[in-house]
Amino acid sequence: MTPPQVVTLHVNQVEHTLAVSAEASLLGVLRNDLELNSPKYGCGLGECGACTVLVDGVAARACVIPACGVAGRRITTLEGLGSRAALHPVQQAFIDEQAAQCGYCLSGMIMMTTALLARNPDPDEGEIRRELSGNLCRCGTHLEIVKAVQRAAVLMRQARSLGSQP
């Protein structure tokens, strides 16, 4: 085992300097060291999407990314999207559409949706389904999730037209 490395991670607009092993995954550091519990451990192989976070605005699977590999980059988890007082439009849309049942996949779905809508503010249903196809949901809220993404697109367009960039 290699000795720990000191890295600086920019998570949810807060800088953290930590000693981590070279083998430590971003998911492990987020959950164990920074106590951020929204990214979930699912498969550990980057296949299920439960651990999805944004790295410099791009959706990424935290379970397969070495923490040392994202030093200095902007990392956003669900906790960093909005607040209780001011939810991000994607968070609001998932609530409005009741797009959760057990909630295990929810953080990954929301983060993937946020990345999608940043790239494409008006995706059609096929694009939404393709984008989210790598995020597994066992509860069967797929229809509600698609509706939530569509609603989020509308809410984000409305926010932009009012000049409040989400």
Side-chain angles (χ1 to χ4, degrees):
M1 189 160 139
T2 59
Q5 296 177 307
V6 176
V7 297
T8 300
L9 299 178
H10 299 276
V11 181
N12 299 333
Q13 301 179 357
V14 177
E15 190 173 285
H16 302 273
T17 301
L18 306 156
V20 299
S21 75
E23 296 84 18
S25 70
L26 176 58
L27 178 62
V29 171
L30 292 172
R31 292 184 58 83
N32 300 330
D33 298 310
L34 301 181
E35 299 179 356
L36 297 169
N37 293 316
S38 65
K40 304 291 186 233
Y41 181 88
C43 65
L45 302 170
E47 300 284 331
C48 74
C51 66
T52 302
V53 299
L54 302 180
V55 177
D56 293 334
V58 177
R61 305 302 168 101
C63 70
V64 294
I65 297 173
C68 295
V70 290
R73 297 178 69 189
R74 289 179 306 112
I75 300 159
T76 307
T77 68
L78 184 65
E79 292 91 345
L81 274 187
S83 66
R84 287 180 190 252
L87 293 174
H88 187 280
V90 175
Q91 292 170 312
Q92 187 63 58
F94 271 72
I95 291 168
D96 292 346
E97 294 298 331
Q98 299 180 7
Q101 195 164 355
C102 83
Y104 203 82
C105 72
L106 196 60
S107 175
M109 291 286 191
I110 289 172
M111 300 312 287
M112 188 65 79
T113 297
T114 302
L116 166 63
L117 295 178
R119 284 191 329 274
N120 179 359
D122 192 22
D124 63 31
E125 184 175 336
E127 291 169 300
I128 293 167
R129 289 183 179 279
R130 278 189 301 281
E131 186 74 14
L132 298 180
S133 66
N135 287 61
L136 303 181
C137 172
R138 300 282 185 211
C139 296
T141 60
H142 299 95
L143 296 176
E144 292 84 356
I145 289 169
V146 170
K147 288 179 186 175
V149 176
Q150 293 168 329
R151 180 182 289 255
V154 169
L155 292 175
M156 289 180 74
R157 284 193 302 273
Q158 289 172 346
R160 278 191 291 279
S161 72
L162 296 172
S164 58
Q165 191 73 4

